[in-house]
Amino acid sequence: MTRFKSFVALAAASLLALSACGSDDKATFKAPVKNSDGTVTITVGASPVPHAQILNYVQDNLAKKAGLKVEIKQYQDYIQPNSALDEGEIDANFFQHIPYLEDASKKNGYSFEHGKGIHIEPLGIYSKKIKDLKDLPNNAVVAINDDPSNQARALQLLVKNKIITLKKKDSPTIYDVESNPKHIQLKPYTAPSIPSALPDVDIAIINGNYALKNHLKPSKDALYLESGKDNPYANILVWNSKANSKTIEAVKKLDTLLHSKEVSDYIKKTWPDGAAAPAF
């Protein structure tokens, strides 16, 4: 009899735990709340520059007419926005390109969807020690992104400037250098920390948003700037495919606004030097 009671108690506890999990799932992906003015609120995680700036423009000028209120949560790195989206803390994020998203999803099992490219931030090579890449010394230290997709992208800039050659691979890393005549040292950093490392290295390959955030002007300060034409690294709006259908509907409305002529004109006007350029 005692064993039977223990079994019943254990079963009840298990059912309670499962019920609690189900409740959490529903709460995590609940429908957006309608505001008194008829809009629905969606929360979007974004890098501060230029992503949050673009979203602020949409919120101030376009969102209400489309029935949206966009709340922006800024992140300083490339890890938290996807983690927060996966956990339902935000409804969408705007900071990454498709190669980065594909790599992150493969590693973490994310079930995300995305829109088309919104803007491109050219990757650039910067230096505080030389004025021309032809002057790059032997054994130079090069700061490079540590995430695989942006690392492969950065390596291509070095290839284009004939500093290194790479083995033929779809996504090369620093370990796939084939020839290195100047014996440069490739030193990986997290993307946000590369600008602060700039004084301590010979050259640094910096993502456009972090260049802007650290008061670097890509068209003026970069020794070499990535071309935006037909660039696969355009930034996109990303959402969770498991989210409530009403949330996804609202996020897709935002994606449409982000591809509007008004946003294109805003990007061109705000960054006339090409630090950010429309990708549509």
Side-chain angles (χ1 to χ4, degrees), residues 236-256:
I236 51 174
L237 186 70
V238 177
W239 56 92
N240 196 323
S241 62
K242 297 178 181 178
N244 181 279
S245 60
K246 293 290 185 184
T247 299
I248 293 175
E249 181 183 339
V251 171
K252 287 184 176 180
K253 283 184 181 180
L254 172 61
D255 192 51
T256 298

Side-chain angles (χ1 to χ4, degrees), residues 201-280:
V201 298
D202 292 283
I203 58 174
I205 305 173
I206 303 176
N207 290 67
N209 58 316
Y210 290 117
L212 293 171
K213 187 182 175 186
N214 286 272
H215 311 294
L216 293 167
K217 295 182 179 179
S219 63
K220 178 184 175 183
D221 298 326
L223 302 182
Y224 181 84
L225 200 59
E226 178 184 44
S227 171
K229 186 178 181 181
D230 301 322
N231 196 307
Y233 295 97
N235 284 218
I236 51 174
L237 186 70
V238 177
W239 56 92
N240 196 323
S241 62
K242 297 178 181 178
N244 181 279
S245 60
K246 293 290 185 184
T247 299
I248 293 175
E249 181 183 339
V251 171
K252 287 184 176 180
K253 283 184 181 180
L254 172 61
D255 192 51
T256 298
L257 295 179
L258 287 167
H259 288 89
S260 65
K261 183 180 184 301
E262 291 89 343
V263 168
S264 176
D265 290 344
Y266 170 76
I267 293 171
K268 291 174 184 175
K269 182 179 178 181
T270 307
W271 296 282
D273 64 351
F280 59 94

Side-chain angles (χ1 to χ4, degrees), residues 78-79 82 95-108 110 123 144-157 166 169-176 186 188-192 194 205 207 226 232-233:
Y78 289 164
I79 306 299
N82 277 336
F95 78 98
Q96 63 192 317
H97 47 63
I98 292 175
Y100 183 88
L101 173 63
E102 289 177 343
D103 182 70
S105 297
K106 184 178 179 181
K107 288 179 178 177
N108 299 288
Y110 295 141
L123 205 63
I144 192 169
N145 210 304
D146 67 350
D147 82 75
S149 62
N150 279 309
Q151 189 171 103
R153 180 184 178 190
L155 287 168
Q156 292 301 328
L157 270 63
L166 294 167
K169 290 186 70 174
D170 289 338
S171 298
T173 71
I174 59 173
Y175 303 107
D176 296 312
L186 295 165
Y189 290 84
T190 60
I194 296 178
I205 305 173
N207 290 67
E226 178 184 44
Y233 295 97

Side-chain angles (χ1 to χ4, degrees), residues 13-270:
S14 298
L15 285 170
L16 183 61
L18 287 170
S19 174
C21 289
S23 299
D24 286 346
D25 286 345
K26 288 179 182 177
T28 299
F29 298 111
K30 61 186 178 182
V33 177
K34 205 164 192 177
N35 302 308
S36 59
D37 62 358
T39 61
V40 295
T41 299
I42 54 174
T43 303
V44 183
S47 296
V49 181
H51 308 77
Q53 289 174 265
I54 295 170
L55 289 171
N56 272 315
Y57 170 81
V58 170
Q59 168 57 25
D60 293 344
N61 298 276
L62 306 174
K64 188 173 183 178
K65 190 175 180 180
L68 300 175
K69 180 181 179 183
V70 182
E71 291 189 347
I72 303 158
K73 186 172 182 179
Q74 295 189 24
Y75 292 92
Q76 303 297 327
D77 65 24
Y78 289 164
I79 306 299
Q80 293 182 75
N82 277 336
S83 177
L85 182 60
D86 186 52
E87 293 170 8
E89 295 173 9
I90 55 177
D91 300 311
N93 67 41
F94 179 33
F95 78 98
Q96 63 192 317
H97 47 63
I98 292 175
Y100 183 88
L101 173 63
E102 289 177 343
D103 182 70
S105 297
K106 184 178 179 181
K107 288 179 178 177
N108 299 288
Y110 295 141
S111 181
F112 295 165
E113 296 176 359
H114 63 84
K116 293 183 178 180
I118 297 163
H119 76 279
I120 183 75
E121 303 155 39
L123 205 63
I125 302 178
Y126 299 82
S127 180
K128 295 289 187 183
K129 297 183 178 180
I130 60 172
K131 299 293 184 183
D132 193 307
L133 285 173
K134 293 177 182 178
D135 300 324
L136 188 67
N138 289 333
N139 302 304
V141 178
V142 179
I144 192 169
N145 210 304
D146 67 350
D147 82 75
S149 62
N150 279 309
Q151 189 171 103
R153 180 184 178 190
L155 287 168
Q156 292 301 328
L157 270 63
L158 298 176
V159 170
K160 287 179 181 178
N161 285 278
K162 300 180 180 179
I163 296 170
I164 61 169
T165 64
L166 294 167
K167 297 173 186 175
K168 291 183 179 180
K169 290 186 70 174
D170 289 338
S171 298
T173 71
I174 59 173
Y175 303 107
D176 296 312
V177 174
E178 188 170 54
S179 66
N180 182 5
K182 286 184 175 286
H183 306 288
I184 65 169
Q185 301 172 52
L186 295 165
K187 192 171 182 180
Y189 290 84
T190 60
S193 66
I194 296 178
S196 61
L198 185 56
D200 302 318
V201 298
D202 292 283
I203 58 174
I205 305 173
I206 303 176
N207 290 67
N209 58 316
Y210 290 117
L212 293 171
K213 187 182 175 186
N214 286 272
H215 311 294
L216 293 167
K217 295 182 179 179
S219 63
K220 178 184 175 183
D221 298 326
L223 302 182
Y224 181 84
L225 200 59
E226 178 184 44
S227 171
K229 186 178 181 181
D230 301 322
N231 196 307
Y233 295 97
N235 284 218
I236 51 174
L237 186 70
V238 177
W239 56 92
N240 196 323
S241 62
K242 297 178 181 178
N244 181 279
S245 60
K246 293 290 185 184
T247 299
I248 293 175
E249 181 183 339
V251 171
K252 287 184 176 180
K253 283 184 181 180
L254 172 61
D255 192 51
T256 298
L257 295 179
L258 287 167
H259 288 89
S260 65
K261 183 180 184 301
E262 291 89 343
V263 168
S264 176
D265 290 344
Y266 170 76
I267 293 171
K268 291 174 184 175
K269 182 179 178 181
T270 307

